[in-house]
Amino acid sequence: MTFRAAVITLYPEMFPGPLGVSLAGRAREEGKWSLEAIQLRDFAADRHRTVDDTPAGGGAGMVLRVDVLARAIDHARAAASNEILPVIAMTPRGRPLTQARVRELAAGPGVIVVCGRFEGFDERIFAARGVEEVSIGDIVLSGGEPAALMLLDACIRLLPGVMGAPSSGTEESFENGLLEYPHYTRPAEWEGRTIPEVLRSGDHAKIAAWRKLQSEVDTRLRRPDLWERHEGARVQSASGARREKRDVDQ
Ligand code: SAM
């Protein structure tokens, strides 16, 4: 099955961009995913191809018009008529993108991504067309295109057959709610710095235990927010298991 990506943008020439090379580029050539970059201006109604207007209530900048956005989204949906693709607008006001959401998207038929520019979108588009708002972090980009490229890159690498070793997808940061453990490679000693002894021991159980511990320590130190969530989920599943056992015993 081909994963369909449609991107609505004022700069279609930015696509496939970095997705035209390496893993994603090869996967596209092999038909594992397809890309349609849709020019938002093609859905303007006037001869100047206007897509934006001044903000209601005043203020700086311009806002993307809801009627133009709706026509572009309807077009992208119609083009994928035999599948229902989720529509995602890239916006700093959206829900932060997670690996779990990426995994869900990659398991589906594809995605329609809408890239904002200027001050962003007329708010009415989200409810009117069931558009999910997604942010790639607490930063402000000048446009949604780099954010869309990030989202698509994260999805594409998870498509079946895109990555070499299947474990490289499942052992990575965020897959189990933790950051990944640190990596090393040859030379064994460099500028007086060595590789942890355990990684050279050949003892797979010890290596796995070391990696698990590193992963937990690094997450606790670097991302206390992730660690708290991880611990919360662990405590919850342990108390759920105890409850189930009690119910069975009674
Ligand atoms: N006025 C908006 C605000 O303060 O929330 C920022 C608009 S930004 C200059 C223009 C466009 O860049 C946005 O509509 C969005 O598509 C994209 N963008 C900027 N930062 C983003 C982020 N963190 N995540 C996803 N998209 C982003």
Side-chain angles (χ1 to χ4, degrees):
M1 197 179 72
T2 300
F3 180 87
R4 297 186 55 147
V7 183
I8 298 171
T9 168
L10 287 171
Y11 298 98
E13 63 275 24
M14 288 175 86
F15 297 87
L19 302 180
V21 299
S22 186
L23 281 186
R26 220 171 18 249
R28 187 161 166 241
E29 277 166 18
E30 291 166 359
K32 295 191 170 89
W33 69 287
S34 69
L35 172 70
E36 189 193 1
I38 299 168
Q39 172 55 266
L40 181 62
R41 278 195 201 285
D42 291 348
F43 300 89
D46 64 338
R47 65 190 177 90
H48 299 295
R49 312 212 319 143
T50 310
V51 295
D52 55 343
D53 211 330
T54 52
M62 300 294 274
V63 177
L64 290 172
R65 288 176 57 122
V66 69
D67 52 348
V68 181
L69 287 165
R71 281 193 291 273
I73 291 171
D74 294 346
H75 163 87
R77 278 196 167 136
S81 58
N82 48 352
E83 275 140 354
I84 299 175
L85 303 187
V87 183
I88 293 187
M90 307 313 306
T91 159
R93 281 165 44 87
R95 182 177 292 193
L97 184 61
T98 61
Q99 187 64 14
R101 184 66 187 119
V102 166
R103 225 168 235 295
E104 281 170 8
L105 291 170
V111 63
I112 297 168
V113 188
V114 195
C115 303
R117 280 272 154 180
F118 321 125
E119 288 309 314
F121 305 95
D122 182 313
E123 187 69 18
R124 293 170 291 181
I125 194 62
F126 305 123
R129 289 296 183 272
V131 176
E132 178 183 341
E133 297 174 68
V134 168
S135 164
I136 52 108
D138 293 346
I139 54 167
V140 179
L141 303 167
S142 51
E145 290 78 9
L149 289 166
M150 271 179 61
L151 169 70
L152 292 176
D153 179 275
C155 290
I156 291 160
R157 64 190 287 284
L158 295 182
L159 299 177
V162 171
M163 264 185 296
S167 68
S168 55
T170 53
E171 280 195 10
E172 249 147 358
S173 293
F174 314 115
E175 289 295 347
N176 60 358
L178 299 173
L179 300 179
E180 199 189 33
Y181 47 81
H183 292 286
Y184 299 85
T185 185
R186 278 184 282 267
E189 191 181 335
W190 175 77
E191 292 191 354
R193 295 166 195 270
T194 54
I195 291 176
E197 198 53 48
V198 60
L199 297 181
R200 291 189 279 164
S201 68
D203 183 332
H204 295 298
K206 264 198 198 151
I207 292 172
W210 181 87
R211 285 178 166 165
K212 182 168 178 288
L213 182 67
Q214 291 300 314
S215 173
E216 290 172 354
V217 169
D218 282 353
T219 307
R220 212 165 53 217
L221 292 177
R222 295 171 182 216
R223 291 290 304 273
D225 57 319
L226 276 186
W227 179 249
E228 221 170 273
R229 221 174 309 152
H230 178 260
E231 281 304 275
R234 206 173 55 82
V235 169
Q236 222 170 10
S237 88
S239 68
R242 271 199 303 277
R243 243 192 335 270
E244 264 174 37
K245 185 175 180 309
R246 214 176 38 231
D247 292 347
V248 170
D249 292 347
Q250 277 170 2

